[in-house]
Amino acid sequence: MTNAVHRSRALVLGGGGPVGRAWETGLVDGFADQGIEFGSADAIIGTSAGALVGAQLALKQRPGAPPEIAESPPVQSGRMADLAVSMARAATSPDPEPVRAEIGKMALEAQTVSEEASLSRSIFAPFIGEAWPAPLQIATVKARDGHFRVWDAASGSPLERSLAASTAAPCIWPPITIDGERYMDGGVRSTLNADLAIGANIVVAVSCFALTGEAIPPFFRTLNSPVLAELDAVRGSGARLTLIEPQPEFLEITKHGAAMMDGRLAPDAYRLGRVAAALQASSIRGFWISD
């Protein structure tokens, strides 16, 4: 009789604004109802909205209800148009860090609420004073030079501050100061940052945006380029990977990603996340609990 070989498992939770957070929350709650506990992962990799959901999972905080979404602050439409152009350039550039630095400059110069006001938002309250859970990795980008930075239990940053940085969408929320530098949303590099899962044997990646199919708008198809390359790299490392994408009804209510900041959609997004979990529970159970 031989002992079972432990296979390391990684969960990747992508960014997607408040609506994506509600959908991912419904998804993980729904899977938990089916006996699939993603909080048992050896690595939980979160970007932006996915960082918040990942932190709740790692801390065994199960919401069981749609997250409360506060109204987003006003943004300057002209600045957001410039941001979209730069995001597309960064996604297709062979040297993206300088372009990300341009995005960081926009974020630092944008008229937003203060860092203190951002950190005091209710979404970070459940994490204040909590010890950093060992599996959790949070993706951010340094605003000054576009350098990618991942925070974990060994980094020494307060959990809530790293979460605020990872969710600091440029020109909407201010970059957050950690160790004398200011950091912004990890989605500036990639909506998934799935390559952080390289080294795991089994990987479940959850994308709030459609990555496959014919109906993806051109802008999001451009942003998907590095994400698809990351997923290919994970597969190329020898890992078994499964990708969870939004169902058609979610894509319809979010206008294929254009309405992810509309907090009014959160209750429907949470419901659709639970529906998606129920439909996929059988296949995900066999994949995730395979040893």
Side-chain angles (χ1 to χ4, degrees):
M1 182 176 179
T2 60
N3 293 326
V5 176
H6 174 71
R7 298 182 183 278
S8 62
R9 297 173 299 172
L11 175 68
V12 179
L13 294 165
V19 182
R21 177 163 67 98
W23 180 74
E24 287 184 321
T25 301
L27 192 75
V28 298
D29 277 353
F31 279 128
D33 284 347
Q34 301 291 327
I36 304 166
E37 295 288 353
F38 282 130
S40 65
D42 298 284
I44 299 174
I45 297 157
T47 297
S48 197
L52 289 166
V53 178
Q56 289 183 307
L57 267 175
L59 291 169
K60 307 298 189 288
Q61 296 178 355
R62 184 178 172 190
E68 294 185 7
I69 308 296
E71 185 177 353
S72 294
V75 296
Q76 298 175 348
S77 58
R79 179 58 63 119
M80 296 306 289
D82 292 340
L83 174 64
V85 170
S86 294
M87 290 287 290
R89 285 176 53 222
T92 56
S93 173
D95 185 21
E97 283 193 359
V99 187
R100 291 182 210 144
E102 294 176 17
I103 295 171
K105 187 172 186 293
M106 291 184 207
L108 292 167
E109 293 176 349
Q111 295 183 348
T112 66
V113 300
S114 67
E115 286 188 64
E116 292 73 19
S118 181
L119 283 161
S120 69
R121 286 181 286 155
S122 61
I123 60 173
F124 304 124
F127 309 107
I128 295 174
E130 291 283 353
W132 195 298
L136 184 64
Q137 300 175 44
I138 293 177
T140 67
V141 171
K142 191 188 297 185
R144 177 173 57 85
D145 60 11
H147 180 69
F148 185 51
R149 175 67 191 265
V150 181
W151 302 91
D152 58 21
S155 301
S157 168
L159 178 58
E160 69 275 9
R161 188 167 284 270
S162 293
L163 289 168
S166 188
T167 57
C171 304
I172 299 177
W173 299 108
I176 299 298
T177 302
I178 306 175
D179 294 340
E181 289 281 1
R182 296 183 71 184
Y183 293 86
M184 59 184 173
D185 199 314
V188 171
R189 178 186 187 248
S190 161
T191 57
L192 275 186
N193 294 300
D195 51 332
L196 294 178
I198 291 175
N201 303 111
I202 296 169
V203 180
V204 171
V206 180
S207 175
C208 298
F209 299 91
L211 299 178
T212 59
E214 300 300 322
I216 302 172
F219 173 70
F220 290 104
R221 192 174 294 280
T222 299
L223 294 191
N224 286 348
S225 178
V227 180
L228 295 172
E230 293 162 9
L231 295 173
D232 284 343
V234 173
R235 295 185 187 99
S237 73
R240 295 175 56 213
L241 180 144
T242 192
L243 174 65
I244 299 175
E245 298 179 83
Q247 67 266 55
E249 188 176 352
F250 181 82
L251 296 175
E252 182 178 349
I253 69 167
T254 61
K255 301 177 183 177
H256 287 268
M260 297 296 259
M261 300 302 292
D262 187 350
R264 297 170 298 180
L265 301 176
D268 279 342
Y270 177 83
R271 174 183 61 81
L272 290 172
R274 294 188 67 98
V275 168
L279 292 172
Q280 299 181 61
S282 178
S283 61
I284 294 297
R285 183 182 295 107
F287 182 84
W288 188 249
I289 312 173
S290 61
D291 59 347

